[in-house]
Amino acid sequence: MGQAGCDHPTLLGCTDVDWSQIPGCPAGTPILLRALLDGEAGPEALTVLDNVLMSSPLRMSAVMPAALPFLMRLAALPDLVVRPGLVDLLVVAAELSSPVDVDEERQVLLFGKDCDHPEREECRAVFAAHAAVLGALLEDETLSDGLISTDDRACLLRAAGLERYPS
């Protein structure tokens, strides 16, 4: 499985990422990304990858910004078995990358300050840099409302800078 999907266009650049330099990133992260393409191994790979990308239920790991471009491209594949899970993971990343209002004590308590979580700004930059990919994903007719809600679409649009964050 280590070579499975190695040449797939959605993973272009995956081998160029120095995954070992990302704090807490397992060496097998590219293998997990490749395994998402496999109908049988994909669901288990997504479960493991979810644990790699999320350091806790309300916190993304430092790996998320590097993985996001590949997750967006993979989620655009209509026949991918793990597509619903990838879309959910993108929504979580978009939501957790939203700026935290330092004047909102509850937000700071739950999510911490942005300055303590650089992965948030890094994710916002990745979403913005790949806005065309995300926009195409959201315009895809195979991405039915049953797979993504109106609120989740809006969240992804905000993350990509295609819609403003509420002030």
Side-chain angles (χ1 to χ4, degrees):
M1 178 168 33
Q3 293 300 315
C6 214
D7 296 328
H8 199 278
T10 58
L11 297 176
L12 184 64
C14 184
T15 56
D16 298 332
V17 176
D18 193 353
W19 299 98
S20 67
Q21 293 302 307
I22 302 171
C25 184
T29 300
I31 295 169
L32 290 172
L33 290 168
R34 289 181 196 114
L36 294 173
L37 292 162
D38 184 300
E40 290 182 33
E44 185 175 343
L46 183 60
T47 299
V48 174
L49 190 61
D50 187 44
N51 290 327
V52 168
L53 298 175
M54 302 298 296
S55 59
S56 73
L58 296 177
R59 303 245 192 298
M60 296 179 290
S61 75
V63 183
M64 184 65 85
L68 265 178
F70 309 109
L71 299 177
M72 285 187 262
R73 285 186 244 151
L74 287 163
L77 298 174
D79 296 330
L80 195 65
V81 171
V82 295
R83 188 180 198 199
L86 286 175
V87 171
D88 289 344
L89 188 55
L90 289 174
V91 171
V92 168
E95 192 65 49
L96 291 177
S97 67
S98 300
V100 171
D101 183 349
V102 294
D103 295 330
E104 291 290 329
E105 186 177 334
R106 182 177 171 91
Q107 272 191 10
V108 174
L109 182 64
L110 286 172
F111 304 109
K113 295 180 181 177
D114 283 347
C115 62
D116 296 330
H117 298 280
E119 68 278 1
R120 288 187 197 141
E121 186 174 340
E122 293 168 12
C123 284
R124 288 193 298 268
V126 171
F127 276 119
H130 294 84
V133 173
L134 199 55
L137 168 66
L138 294 173
E139 291 174 8
D140 182 352
E141 292 179 8
T142 63
L143 189 65
S144 67
D145 288 334
L147 188 55
I148 185 168
S149 71
T150 302
D151 288 342
D152 289 348
R153 280 180 190 273
C155 179
L156 288 170
L157 288 170
R158 278 191 305 276
L162 302 172
E163 188 177 289
R164 299 194 75 145
Y165 286 100
S167 15

